[in-house]
């Protein structure tokens, strides 16, 4: 059974600091890994999708890496802004999408 | 382009009742996924429908069921509601290929239905 773990559970940083969010998974036989953002009481917004054959994906200030063999992914958010405050979830797809519990980020102005 | 829409936004039921939640995928998407997000817990996979067929099911009792209609919209039905069914139910869609997982297609989520069981 695939288990996805996200560390830390919560993170508070001053505006402008870079964010590093970690995700680990137990079964490396995945098709892809996705990072999502969730605002309170809302649905999820897909940020990045990394296919199993890829090592990283970038979108604007966001960069996600994938090391499938070690079962790890890292999401980097450069120059954080208060609008980045949200819960960030990673999910791995094998025969279904399995989610981590998320990292709740607070960016202080 | 309209995103994934879910209705109702909020639903209040009492124990033992039935709840019906609805989801309309993005136009052109054939796959619909249902997830449960209970307070303090991560997203738990419920059901995956593609081309009108149930493709996969999470570890939930049979009183959780659903269907997908010819227009690819979907319903989630929860029978004999229990207090612990209170949660945010999220629907997602993708343009995944029929009969496969690992489509490498992004999932697009709706805003969810908040179900409260009293």
């Amino acid at each position: 059974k695939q288990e996805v773990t996200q560390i830390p559970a919560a993170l508070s940083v001053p505006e402008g600091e870079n964010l590093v969010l970690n995700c680990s998974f137990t079964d490396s036989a995945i098709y892809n890994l996705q990072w999502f953002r969730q605002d309170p009481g809302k649905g999820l917004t897909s940020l990045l999708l990394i296919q199993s054959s890829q090592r990283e994906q970038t979108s604007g200030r966001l960069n996600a890496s994938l090391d499938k063999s070690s079962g790890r992914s890292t999401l980097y958010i450069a120059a954080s802004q208060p609008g980045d405050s949200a819960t960030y979830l990673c999910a791995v797809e094998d025969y279904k999408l399995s989610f981590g519990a998320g990292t709740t980020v607070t960016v202080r102005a | 382009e309209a995103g994934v829409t879910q209705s109702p936004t909020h639903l209040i039921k009492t124990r033992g009742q039935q709840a019906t939640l609805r989801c309309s995928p993005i136009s052109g998407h054939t796959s619909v996924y249902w997830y449960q997000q209970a307070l303090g817990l991560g997203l738990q996979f419920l059901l995956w429908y593609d081309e009108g067929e149930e493709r996969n099911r999470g570890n939930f009792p049979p009183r959780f069921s659903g269907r997908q209609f010819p227009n690819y919209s979907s319903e989630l039905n929860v029978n004999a509601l229990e207090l612990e069914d209170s949660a945010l139910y999220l629907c997602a869609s993708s343009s995944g290929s029929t009969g496969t997982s690992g489509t490498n297609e992004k999932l697009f989520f709706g805003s969810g239905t908040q179900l409260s069981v009293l």
Side-chain angles (χ1 to χ4, degrees), chain A residues 31-32 38 43-44 93 95 97, chain B residues 35 37 56 102 104 107 109-110:
Chain A
Y31 291 108
N32 61 62
Q38 185 175 30
L44 279 66
E93 183 172 6
Y95 65 94
L97 208 57
Chain B
Y35 286 84
Q37 188 176 35
N56 205 349
N104 289 322
L107 282 193
F109 280 80

Side-chain angles (χ1 to χ4, degrees), chain A residues 9 18 26 31 38 50 55-56 58 72-73 81 84 93 101:
Chain A
N18 297 332
T26 54
Y31 291 108
Q38 185 175 30
I50 312 175
R55 296 298 298 259
E56 67 175 346
T58 299
R72 295 180 189 276
S73 176
Q81 303 168 358
D84 295 330
E93 183 172 6

Side-chain angles (χ1 to χ4, degrees), chain A residues 10-66:
Chain A
L11 189 58
S12 179
V13 299
E15 183 176 2
E17 197 165 294
N18 297 332
L19 289 162
V20 180
L21 309 180
N22 297 299
C23 173
S24 62
F25 47 96
T26 54
D27 187 343
S28 62
I30 63 170
Y31 291 108
N32 61 62
L33 182 144
Q34 297 186 51
W35 283 94
F36 293 86
R37 169 187 171 134
Q38 185 175 30
D39 292 288
K42 303 291 186 182
L44 279 66
T45 301
S46 180
L47 298 173
L48 293 166
L49 182 151
I50 312 175
Q51 297 183 24
S52 62
S53 59
Q54 298 174 323
R55 296 298 298 259
E56 67 175 346
Q57 279 288 328
T58 299
S59 176
R61 295 184 294 112
L62 277 59
N63 175 274
S65 65
L66 173 64

Side-chain angles (χ1 to χ4, degrees), chain B residues 38-86:
Chain B
L39 197 62
L41 299 176
L43 273 81
Q44 302 295 317
F45 169 72
L46 270 165
L47 290 159
W48 170 31
Y49 291 95
D50 183 65
E51 297 282 359
E53 301 280 335
E54 182 181 302
R55 300 297 183 182
N56 205 349
R57 182 183 181 85
N59 189 25
F60 280 84
R63 57 191 186 81
F64 287 83
S65 65
R67 55 180 172 168
Q68 186 178 32
F69 298 99
N71 65 355
Y72 304 116
S73 66
S74 177
E75 268 184 7
L76 174 68
N77 295 293
V78 188
N79 294 321
L81 284 165
E82 300 178 2
L83 297 178
E84 53 265 33
D85 296 333
S86 295

